Amino acid sequence: MSLQPLARKLLVLSAAALPLVAHAGRPMMVDDAGVNDAGAGHLETWFERGPGGHRAWTAALAYAPIEGLEVGAAVSRDTTERSTALRLQGKLQSTRPTEDACGHAAVLGIAHERPKAVNARWFNLVMSCPVAPGNVHLNLGATQTARKSAKAFIGAAWEQDLGWASGHVEWIAAQSAQPIVNLGLRREIAKGLQLDGSVGRQAGRTLFSVGLKQQF
């Protein structure tokens, strides 16, 4: 489940037009409607080359204090811009996804980047539905930074269990930004420990990420 989970990620606020990539379940950028069980959480760490060619390290923590509510925080260090972004997010699940029914959730988040002192906020509506033999995830939301009008974003992902791993293909688009097409794989390498990675394209640039996720 994701920081959805809060975003796969808001790298820096210069990429704030795609906040969903900030706290989706690794390695997806598109969020899904799942949350951790009450009293459970996870820690994700990853390196990526993101939108605009920015390279960053991110650590994200998510926890569900009660059933259907997940809160999270993430810190990203952009080594290209030499900036640091802090992100806080809450995810409220209205309907839990099942093997034969769609799930729904809403995500609200805020972020702050230093040293530019840029603030951003976003809202995302999420739906996850079983479509044999996999699952479809749909996102629709908006993000806004100070002194700028809100920008809408939309995302869609297909997720499939491959047996030896789980894979996905996704498409994300936002106003004033080129769309992203992304492929990813994740695999449990030990109990509660996930290894994952992704590769994608945006405006002729190659994006990639590699990370770890620990459940607790």
Side-chain angles (χ1 to χ4, degrees):
M1 299 303 173
S2 71
L3 249 200
Q4 287 160 330
L6 213 214
R8 225 161 195 320
K9 179 175 109 263
L10 186 63
L11 186 65
V12 291
L13 299 188
S14 61
L18 294 172
L20 63 166
V21 303
H23 261 136
R26 286 285 310 159
M28 287 199 301
M29 293 182 174
V30 171
D31 210 346
D32 66 57
V35 297
N36 284 304
D37 293 332
H42 65 263
L43 173 66
E44 297 173 314
T45 57
W46 68 90
F47 171 79
E48 69 178 336
R49 171 176 166 155
H54 292 269
R55 291 170 169 80
W57 292 91
T58 300
L61 179 67
Y63 179 73
I66 59 175
E67 193 69 28
L69 175 64
E70 187 175 271
V71 295
V75 60
S76 296
R77 176 61 180 175
D78 186 326
T79 59
T80 304
E81 292 285 342
R82 299 185 182 278
S83 62
T84 301
L86 174 64
R87 189 171 59 255
L88 302 175
Q89 178 174 294
K91 184 179 184 180
L92 180 63
Q93 183 186 69
S94 58
T95 307
R96 178 180 288 273
T98 66
E99 292 182 356
D100 55 7
C102 295
H104 304 84
V107 179
L108 182 64
I110 58 174
H112 177 75
E113 181 198 359
R114 295 178 63 102
K116 297 179 181 180
V118 177
N119 297 307
R121 56 186 177 180
W122 64 89
F123 178 72
N124 188 15
L125 295 175
V126 183
M127 181 172 69
S128 296
C129 296
V131 180
N135 293 283
V136 170
H137 309 294
L138 301 175
N139 290 187
L140 177 62
T143 184
Q144 184 174 27
T145 57
R147 299 181 299 278
K148 292 186 178 181
S149 59
K151 296 181 182 297
F153 63 82
I154 185 171
W158 171 274
E159 190 176 18
Q160 175 68 51
D161 184 359
L162 304 175
W164 57 276
S166 293
H168 77 268
V169 57
E170 60 188 339
W171 174 86
I172 310 102
Q175 287 180 270
S176 305
Q178 292 294 317
I180 295 174
V181 177
N182 203 46
L183 301 172
L185 288 172
R186 69 176 190 272
R187 177 183 173 86
E188 188 173 64
I189 57 175
K191 185 174 178 57
L193 181 62
Q194 171 186 296
L195 175 65
D196 53 59
S198 67
V199 61
R201 296 282 288 175
Q202 181 192 35
R205 291 177 178 267
T206 298
L207 318 177
F208 65 86
S209 73
V210 59
L212 291 170
K213 176 179 178 179
Q214 177 67 62
Q215 296 282 161
F216 60 86

